[in-house]
Amino acid sequence: MDKILFIDDEPSVLDGFRRQLRKDFDLVTAPGGEEGLKLVEKEGPFPVIVSDMHMPFMNGIQVLAKARELAPDTVRIMLTGMADLQTAMNAVNQGNIFRFLTKPCSIESLSMALQAGVAQYRLITAERELLEKTLKGSIQAMADILALTNPVAFSRALRLRHYAAQMAKTLNLPNVWQFEVAALLSQVGCVTLPSEVLEKAFAGEALTPQEKEMFDAHPQVGGQLIINIPRLNTIAHMITHQQKPLSGLQLPAAEDASFTAEIGAHILKVAVDFDLFLSRGMTPERAKGSMADRGGYPPVLMAALARVETPRLEKSSLVVKVGELRNGMILAEDVRARGGGLVVNKDQEVSDTLRQRLKNFVLQGNIPDEIRVFVYQRVVAAT
């Protein structure tokens, strides 16, 4: 049975609901707003919450507004014996109320409202679950395409994801997943670039004017690809503006979508520059010092970068046949075709897609059947 939370300061009312609705619903009751909200946190989610309007300490509008923050998907119903237009308007506007019922309310009417609320909850959660699965699948598909078509860019994206996630966590930013996804997809626009140009750019080598124009366009290309995926508008902004000159940055008191997009782009810029210094052979500490000496980075981001740990692989390795590769293994060296072209960059983690790609190359006789890998991986603080 569906679990329904009733909040009312009158025990007799709660007892009546339990007796008359227990055959159709799993009722949980609370004698006040504070108690009800604690139940939302500890025993939720509830498909439906029904709250009385007039209660001591917290009225129904306050309770349902707070419940909305704690459990956005839960359907909220207001039950009151003193209905007036202003109360109804406040309840709808502040608590996003699904139904507004007046006492005395027949059990038949209440039961119908609860059934409608449960149906609405199922619809909301089903749509969200479908969207999340679609979103996750879209992100994974784009990452796999990047890994297959441009292993150099994908290898860099994995490193950027590591740096961006640590910086976002250090700054206590909400929705860290957004910064991780932005970093992982930040190099998607590189699918349009020749691998030789990428290798030069990522190694910090000088580019010709034509090559620089091509490379500088990749964030815009990537952003245009991402903008078409639902719920990724903010991430698309981060990717598009990852090379934008940095400006002063102050953390806001409350979560703000425009700020999230701005600081995400800034984090990507810092992560990209940090990775570029590392690719030139600098130690992490020297790279951070060089960036500090160069200046122009927001102090709050440099403080977060100072706490970033860089991934290090254990030195033990072994040689395995491509057919023996397992997910989680790390490539210990670049995999190149017999003609010298790069197939997969070193330090990539073996996945189903990568394993199939390597098998295809082996079947065509383009790469050796044996590859050196790291079996174990650990992340330690850089020194």
mmCIF file of all heavy atoms in Angstrom, residues 136-173:
data_model
loop_
_atom_site.group_PDB
_atom_site.id
_atom_site.type_symbol
_atom_site.label_atom_id
_atom_site.label_comp_id
_atom_site.label_asym_id
_atom_site.label_seq_id
_atom_site.Cartn_x
_atom_site.Cartn_y
_atom_site.Cartn_z
ATOM 1 N N LYS A 136 21.569 10.076 -18.325
ATOM 2 C CA LYS A 136 22.766 9.287 -18.050
ATOM 3 C C LYS A 136 23.241 8.561 -19.302
ATOM 4 O O LYS A 136 24.437 8.516 -19.604
ATOM 5 C CB LYS A 136 22.478 8.279 -16.936
ATOM 6 C CG LYS A 136 23.686 7.452 -16.525
ATOM 7 C CD LYS A 136 23.343 6.512 -15.380
ATOM 8 C CE LYS A 136 24.551 5.677 -14.969
ATOM 9 N NZ LYS A 136 24.210 4.748 -13.853
ATOM 10 N N GLY A 137 22.293 8.014 -20.049
ATOM 11 C CA GLY A 137 22.653 7.314 -21.278
ATOM 12 C C GLY A 137 23.247 8.243 -22.317
ATOM 13 O O GLY A 137 24.204 7.881 -23.020
ATOM 14 N N SER A 138 22.696 9.450 -22.426
ATOM 15 C CA SER A 138 23.214 10.419 -23.392
ATOM 16 C C SER A 138 24.637 10.830 -23.050
ATOM 17 O O SER A 138 25.505 10.925 -23.928
ATOM 18 C CB SER A 138 22.307 11.658 -23.428
ATOM 19 O OG SER A 138 20.997 11.322 -23.822
ATOM 20 N N ILE A 139 24.874 11.074 -21.762
ATOM 21 C CA ILE A 139 26.215 11.462 -21.322
ATOM 22 C C ILE A 139 27.214 10.346 -21.590
ATOM 23 O O ILE A 139 28.314 10.574 -22.105
ATOM 24 C CB ILE A 139 26.194 11.828 -19.828
ATOM 25 C CG1 ILE A 139 25.383 13.110 -19.613
ATOM 26 C CG2 ILE A 139 27.614 11.999 -19.287
ATOM 27 C CD1 ILE A 139 25.117 13.423 -18.156
ATOM 28 N N GLN A 140 26.825 9.115 -21.246
ATOM 29 C CA GLN A 140 27.728 7.984 -21.449
ATOM 30 C C GLN A 140 28.001 7.765 -22.929
ATOM 31 O O GLN A 140 29.134 7.462 -23.327
ATOM 32 C CB GLN A 140 27.123 6.718 -20.834
ATOM 33 C CG GLN A 140 28.067 5.519 -20.849
ATOM 34 C CD GLN A 140 29.343 5.784 -20.079
ATOM 35 O OE1 GLN A 140 29.306 6.176 -18.918
ATOM 36 N NE2 GLN A 140 30.493 5.586 -20.725
ATOM 37 N N ALA A 141 26.972 7.935 -23.759
ATOM 38 C CA ALA A 141 27.152 7.740 -25.195
ATOM 39 C C ALA A 141 28.139 8.757 -25.764
ATOM 40 O O ALA A 141 29.016 8.408 -26.568
ATOM 41 C CB ALA A 141 25.807 7.855 -25.908
ATOM 42 N N MET A 142 28.008 10.008 -25.340
ATOM 43 C CA MET A 142 28.913 11.043 -25.844
ATOM 44 C C MET A 142 30.338 10.804 -25.355
ATOM 45 O O MET A 142 31.302 11.011 -26.095
ATOM 46 C CB MET A 142 28.418 12.423 -25.422
ATOM 47 C CG MET A 142 27.071 12.792 -25.992
ATOM 48 S SD MET A 142 26.673 14.543 -25.870
ATOM 49 C CE MET A 142 27.677 15.205 -27.177
ATOM 50 N N ALA A 143 30.474 10.359 -24.109
ATOM 51 C CA ALA A 143 31.810 10.060 -23.587
ATOM 52 C C ALA A 143 32.427 8.886 -24.336
ATOM 53 O O ALA A 143 33.627 8.899 -24.661
ATOM 54 C CB ALA A 143 31.726 9.761 -22.090
ATOM 55 N N ASP A 144 31.621 7.873 -24.632
ATOM 56 C CA ASP A 144 32.128 6.713 -25.373
ATOM 57 C C ASP A 144 32.553 7.105 -26.788
ATOM 58 O O ASP A 144 33.573 6.625 -27.304
ATOM 59 C CB ASP A 144 31.060 5.620 -25.443
ATOM 60 C CG ASP A 144 30.880 4.891 -24.118
ATOM 61 O OD1 ASP A 144 31.761 5.036 -23.246
ATOM 62 O OD2 ASP A 144 29.865 4.191 -23.955
ATOM 63 N N ILE A 145 31.765 7.977 -27.411
ATOM 64 C CA ILE A 145 32.115 8.431 -28.763
ATOM 65 C C ILE A 145 33.443 9.175 -28.742
ATOM 66 O O ILE A 145 34.305 8.980 -29.610
ATOM 67 C CB ILE A 145 30.995 9.324 -29.333
ATOM 68 C CG1 ILE A 145 29.748 8.471 -29.628
ATOM 69 C CG2 ILE A 145 31.461 10.042 -30.596
ATOM 70 C CD1 ILE A 145 28.536 9.284 -30.008
ATOM 71 N N LEU A 146 33.619 10.027 -27.731
ATOM 72 C CA LEU A 146 34.880 10.761 -27.612
ATOM 73 C C LEU A 146 36.043 9.798 -27.394
ATOM 74 O O LEU A 146 37.118 9.963 -27.978
ATOM 75 C CB LEU A 146 34.797 11.759 -26.460
ATOM 76 C CG LEU A 146 36.031 12.640 -26.239
ATOM 77 C CD1 LEU A 146 36.288 13.520 -27.458
ATOM 78 C CD2 LEU A 146 35.876 13.502 -24.988
ATOM 79 N N ALA A 147 35.828 8.780 -26.550
ATOM 80 C CA ALA A 147 36.890 7.810 -26.274
ATOM 81 C C ALA A 147 37.284 7.045 -27.533
ATOM 82 O O ALA A 147 38.464 6.742 -27.748
ATOM 83 C CB ALA A 147 36.434 6.833 -25.192
ATOM 84 N N LEU A 148 36.299 6.744 -28.375
ATOM 85 C CA LEU A 148 36.574 5.971 -29.586
ATOM 86 C C LEU A 148 37.196 6.822 -30.688
ATOM 87 O O LEU A 148 38.094 6.372 -31.398
ATOM 88 C CB LEU A 148 35.277 5.338 -30.100
ATOM 89 C CG LEU A 148 34.663 4.243 -29.225
ATOM 90 C CD1 LEU A 148 33.308 3.827 -29.780
ATOM 91 C CD2 LEU A 148 35.590 3.039 -29.147
ATOM 92 N N THR A 149 36.703 8.040 -30.835
ATOM 93 C CA THR A 149 37.146 8.865 -31.959
ATOM 94 C C THR A 149 38.375 9.698 -31.648
ATOM 95 O O THR A 149 39.134 10.045 -32.560
ATOM 96 C CB THR A 149 36.018 9.810 -32.409
ATOM 97 O OG1 THR A 149 35.640 10.650 -31.299
ATOM 98 C CG2 THR A 149 34.808 9.017 -32.880
ATOM 99 N N ASN A 150 38.569 10.044 -30.378
ATOM 100 C CA ASN A 150 39.699 10.899 -30.036
ATOM 101 C C ASN A 150 40.220 10.545 -28.648
ATOM 102 O O ASN A 150 39.910 11.217 -27.662
ATOM 103 C CB ASN A 150 39.278 12.375 -30.084
ATOM 104 C CG ASN A 150 40.442 13.265 -30.472
ATOM 105 O OD1 ASN A 150 41.532 13.091 -29.942
ATOM 106 N ND2 ASN A 150 40.211 14.193 -31.386
ATOM 107 N N PRO A 151 41.018 9.489 -28.550
ATOM 108 C CA PRO A 151 41.489 9.030 -27.240
ATOM 109 C C PRO A 151 42.322 10.062 -26.493
ATOM 110 O O PRO A 151 42.325 10.083 -25.271
ATOM 111 C CB PRO A 151 42.310 7.781 -27.580
ATOM 112 C CG PRO A 151 42.641 7.899 -29.029
ATOM 113 C CD PRO A 151 41.497 8.626 -29.646
ATOM 114 N N VAL A 152 43.027 10.930 -27.215
ATOM 115 C CA VAL A 152 43.823 11.964 -26.544
ATOM 116 C C VAL A 152 42.909 12.916 -25.774
ATOM 117 O O VAL A 152 43.144 13.230 -24.605
ATOM 118 C CB VAL A 152 44.667 12.752 -27.573
ATOM 119 C CG1 VAL A 152 45.405 13.896 -26.889
ATOM 120 C CG2 VAL A 152 45.658 11.831 -28.258
ATOM 121 N N ALA A 153 41.846 13.371 -26.435
ATOM 122 C CA ALA A 153 40.903 14.285 -25.788
ATOM 123 C C ALA A 153 40.181 13.603 -24.633
ATOM 124 O O ALA A 153 39.944 14.212 -23.583
ATOM 125 C CB ALA A 153 39.893 14.798 -26.811
ATOM 126 N N PHE A 154 39.833 12.333 -24.807
ATOM 127 C CA PHE A 154 39.120 11.628 -23.745
ATOM 128 C C PHE A 154 40.009 11.445 -22.519
ATOM 129 O O PHE A 154 39.554 11.590 -21.384
ATOM 130 C CB PHE A 154 38.646 10.266 -24.251
ATOM 131 C CG PHE A 154 37.857 9.490 -23.228
ATOM 132 C CD1 PHE A 154 36.620 9.947 -22.800
ATOM 133 C CD2 PHE A 154 38.354 8.321 -22.688
ATOM 134 C CE1 PHE A 154 35.892 9.239 -21.851
ATOM 135 C CE2 PHE A 154 37.634 7.604 -21.747
ATOM 136 C CZ PHE A 154 36.396 8.067 -21.331
ATOM 137 N N SER A 155 41.269 11.132 -22.745
ATOM 138 C CA SER A 155 42.192 10.977 -21.625
ATOM 139 C C SER A 155 42.298 12.276 -20.835
ATOM 140 O O SER A 155 42.306 12.280 -19.603
ATOM 141 C CB SER A 155 43.575 10.564 -22.143
ATOM 142 O OG SER A 155 44.480 10.392 -21.076
ATOM 143 N N ARG A 156 42.339 13.384 -21.550
ATOM 144 C CA ARG A 156 42.392 14.677 -20.869
ATOM 145 C C ARG A 156 41.092 14.938 -20.106
ATOM 146 O O ARG A 156 41.111 15.450 -18.986
ATOM 147 C CB ARG A 156 42.630 15.796 -21.882
ATOM 148 C CG ARG A 156 42.823 17.141 -21.207
ATOM 149 C CD ARG A 156 42.890 18.277 -22.187
ATOM 150 N NE ARG A 156 43.821 19.302 -21.735
ATOM 151 C CZ ARG A 156 43.875 20.521 -22.233
ATOM 152 N NH1 ARG A 156 43.054 20.880 -23.198
ATOM 153 N NH2 ARG A 156 44.747 21.392 -21.783
ATOM 154 N N ALA A 157 39.965 14.597 -20.712
ATOM 155 C CA ALA A 157 38.670 14.825 -20.066
ATOM 156 C C ALA A 157 38.573 14.073 -18.740
ATOM 157 O O ALA A 157 38.005 14.583 -17.770
ATOM 158 C CB ALA A 157 37.537 14.406 -21.002
ATOM 159 N N LEU A 158 39.123 12.869 -18.684
ATOM 160 C CA LEU A 158 39.108 12.108 -17.436
ATOM 161 C C LEU A 158 39.903 12.825 -16.351
ATOM 162 O O LEU A 158 39.490 12.869 -15.188
ATOM 163 C CB LEU A 158 39.680 10.709 -17.664
ATOM 164 C CG LEU A 158 38.849 9.756 -18.532
ATOM 165 C CD1 LEU A 158 39.587 8.433 -18.708
ATOM 166 C CD2 LEU A 158 37.479 9.518 -17.914
ATOM 167 N N ARG A 159 41.035 13.393 -16.733
ATOM 168 C CA ARG A 159 41.836 14.133 -15.749
ATOM 169 C C ARG A 159 41.103 15.392 -15.296
ATOM 170 O O ARG A 159 41.074 15.719 -14.101
ATOM 171 C CB ARG A 159 43.202 14.494 -16.347
ATOM 172 C CG ARG A 159 44.059 13.293 -16.723
ATOM 173 C CD ARG A 159 45.491 13.698 -17.027
ATOM 174 N NE ARG A 159 45.604 14.648 -18.126
ATOM 175 C CZ ARG A 159 45.726 14.315 -19.405
ATOM 176 N NH1 ARG A 159 45.713 13.040 -19.765
ATOM 177 N NH2 ARG A 159 45.851 15.247 -20.344
ATOM 178 N N LEU A 160 40.501 16.097 -16.245
ATOM 179 C CA LEU A 160 39.778 17.324 -15.900
ATOM 180 C C LEU A 160 38.609 17.033 -14.966
ATOM 181 O O LEU A 160 38.314 17.819 -14.056
ATOM 182 C CB LEU A 160 39.264 18.003 -17.178
ATOM 183 C CG LEU A 160 40.328 18.511 -18.157
ATOM 184 C CD1 LEU A 160 39.662 19.147 -19.371
ATOM 185 C CD2 LEU A 160 41.263 19.506 -17.482
ATOM 186 N N ARG A 161 37.937 15.908 -15.186
ATOM 187 C CA ARG A 161 36.830 15.539 -14.298
ATOM 188 C C ARG A 161 37.326 15.369 -12.865
ATOM 189 O O ARG A 161 36.664 15.796 -11.911
ATOM 190 C CB ARG A 161 36.170 14.247 -14.781
ATOM 191 C CG ARG A 161 35.012 13.793 -13.884
ATOM 192 C CD ARG A 161 34.334 12.548 -14.403
ATOM 193 N NE ARG A 161 35.223 11.403 -14.437
ATOM 194 C CZ ARG A 161 34.849 10.178 -14.800
ATOM 195 N NH1 ARG A 161 33.599 9.950 -15.178
ATOM 196 N NH2 ARG A 161 35.719 9.185 -14.805
ATOM 197 N N HIS A 162 38.476 14.760 -12.717
ATOM 198 C CA HIS A 162 39.056 14.549 -11.386
ATOM 199 C C HIS A 162 39.350 15.887 -10.714
ATOM 200 O O HIS A 162 38.983 16.109 -9.553
ATOM 201 C CB HIS A 162 40.331 13.721 -11.526
ATOM 202 C CG HIS A 162 41.053 13.489 -10.241
ATOM 203 N ND1 HIS A 162 40.628 12.570 -9.304
ATOM 204 C CD2 HIS A 162 42.167 14.075 -9.720
ATOM 205 C CE1 HIS A 162 41.455 12.595 -8.263
ATOM 206 N NE2 HIS A 162 42.393 13.492 -8.497
ATOM 207 N N TYR A 163 39.979 16.802 -11.443
ATOM 208 C CA TYR A 163 40.325 18.110 -10.864
ATOM 209 C C TYR A 163 39.060 18.915 -10.537
ATOM 210 O O TYR A 163 38.945 19.508 -9.461
ATOM 211 C CB TYR A 163 41.194 18.919 -11.830
ATOM 212 C CG TYR A 163 42.415 18.208 -12.347
ATOM 213 C CD1 TYR A 163 42.881 18.430 -13.641
ATOM 214 C CD2 TYR A 163 43.113 17.294 -11.558
ATOM 215 C CE1 TYR A 163 44.000 17.776 -14.134
ATOM 216 C CE2 TYR A 163 44.234 16.634 -12.047
ATOM 217 C CZ TYR A 163 44.667 16.875 -13.338
ATOM 218 O OH TYR A 163 45.767 16.225 -13.828
ATOM 219 N N ALA A 164 38.119 18.950 -11.478
ATOM 220 C CA ALA A 164 36.913 19.764 -11.301
ATOM 221 C C ALA A 164 36.079 19.274 -10.121
ATOM 222 O O ALA A 164 35.551 20.075 -9.343
ATOM 223 C CB ALA A 164 36.080 19.751 -12.581
ATOM 224 N N ALA A 165 35.959 17.962 -9.984
ATOM 225 C CA ALA A 165 35.167 17.408 -8.882
ATOM 226 C C ALA A 165 35.782 17.775 -7.539
ATOM 227 O O ALA A 165 35.072 18.161 -6.596
ATOM 228 C CB ALA A 165 35.059 15.893 -9.022
ATOM 229 N N GLN A 166 37.099 17.676 -7.434
ATOM 230 C CA GLN A 166 37.755 18.011 -6.167
ATOM 231 C C GLN A 166 37.599 19.489 -5.835
ATOM 232 O O GLN A 166 37.364 19.858 -4.678
ATOM 233 C CB GLN A 166 39.239 17.648 -6.234
ATOM 234 C CG GLN A 166 39.503 16.156 -6.174
ATOM 235 C CD GLN A 166 40.934 15.849 -5.772
ATOM 236 O OE1 GLN A 166 41.450 16.345 -4.781
ATOM 237 N NE2 GLN A 166 41.590 15.035 -6.569
ATOM 238 N N MET A 167 37.723 20.350 -6.837
ATOM 239 C CA MET A 167 37.570 21.780 -6.588
ATOM 240 C C MET A 167 36.146 22.113 -6.146
ATOM 241 O O MET A 167 35.935 22.891 -5.211
ATOM 242 C CB MET A 167 37.946 22.572 -7.842
ATOM 243 C CG MET A 167 39.427 22.500 -8.196
ATOM 244 S SD MET A 167 39.826 23.357 -9.739
ATOM 245 C CE MET A 167 39.529 25.059 -9.245
ATOM 246 N N ALA A 168 35.156 21.523 -6.815
ATOM 247 C CA ALA A 168 33.758 21.788 -6.462
ATOM 248 C C ALA A 168 33.450 21.315 -5.047
ATOM 249 O O ALA A 168 32.742 21.988 -4.288
ATOM 250 C CB ALA A 168 32.830 21.111 -7.469
ATOM 251 N N LYS A 169 33.991 20.163 -4.672
ATOM 252 C CA LYS A 169 33.766 19.651 -3.319
ATOM 253 C C LYS A 169 34.453 20.536 -2.280
ATOM 254 O O LYS A 169 33.900 20.792 -1.206
ATOM 255 C CB LYS A 169 34.271 18.213 -3.216
ATOM 256 C CG LYS A 169 33.436 17.208 -4.004
ATOM 257 C CD LYS A 169 34.049 15.816 -3.965
ATOM 258 C CE LYS A 169 33.239 14.834 -4.796
ATOM 259 N NZ LYS A 169 33.869 13.484 -4.841
ATOM 260 N N THR A 170 35.649 20.990 -2.588
ATOM 261 C CA THR A 170 36.367 21.871 -1.665
ATOM 262 C C THR A 170 35.591 23.162 -1.425
ATOM 263 O O THR A 170 35.562 23.692 -0.307
ATOM 264 C CB THR A 170 37.762 22.207 -2.224
ATOM 265 O OG1 THR A 170 38.526 21.002 -2.325
ATOM 266 C CG2 THR A 170 38.497 23.190 -1.321
ATOM 267 N N LEU A 171 34.939 23.659 -2.473
ATOM 268 C CA LEU A 171 34.168 24.899 -2.374
ATOM 269 C C LEU A 171 32.762 24.666 -1.822
ATOM 270 O O LEU A 171 31.980 25.615 -1.712
ATOM 271 C CB LEU A 171 34.075 25.557 -3.751
ATOM 272 C CG LEU A 171 35.405 26.048 -4.342
ATOM 273 C CD1 LEU A 171 35.222 26.456 -5.797
ATOM 274 C CD2 LEU A 171 35.956 27.210 -3.529
ATOM 275 N N ASN A 172 32.434 23.405 -1.505
ATOM 276 C CA ASN A 172 31.103 23.055 -0.983
ATOM 277 C C ASN A 172 29.990 23.484 -1.933
ATOM 278 O O ASN A 172 28.925 23.953 -1.504
ATOM 279 C CB ASN A 172 30.879 23.681 0.402
ATOM 280 C CG ASN A 172 31.776 23.086 1.462
ATOM 281 O OD1 ASN A 172 31.979 21.872 1.504
ATOM 282 N ND2 ASN A 172 32.331 23.930 2.315
ATOM 283 N N LEU A 173 30.228 23.329 -3.222
ATOM 284 C CA LEU A 173 29.219 23.687 -4.209
ATOM 285 C C LEU A 173 28.174 22.582 -4.313
ATOM 286 O O LEU A 173 28.512 21.399 -4.236
ATOM 287 C CB LEU A 173 29.875 23.906 -5.575
ATOM 288 C CG LEU A 173 30.873 25.067 -5.658
ATOM 289 C CD1 LEU A 173 31.544 25.095 -7.028
ATOM 290 C CD2 LEU A 173 30.181 26.395 -5.386
#
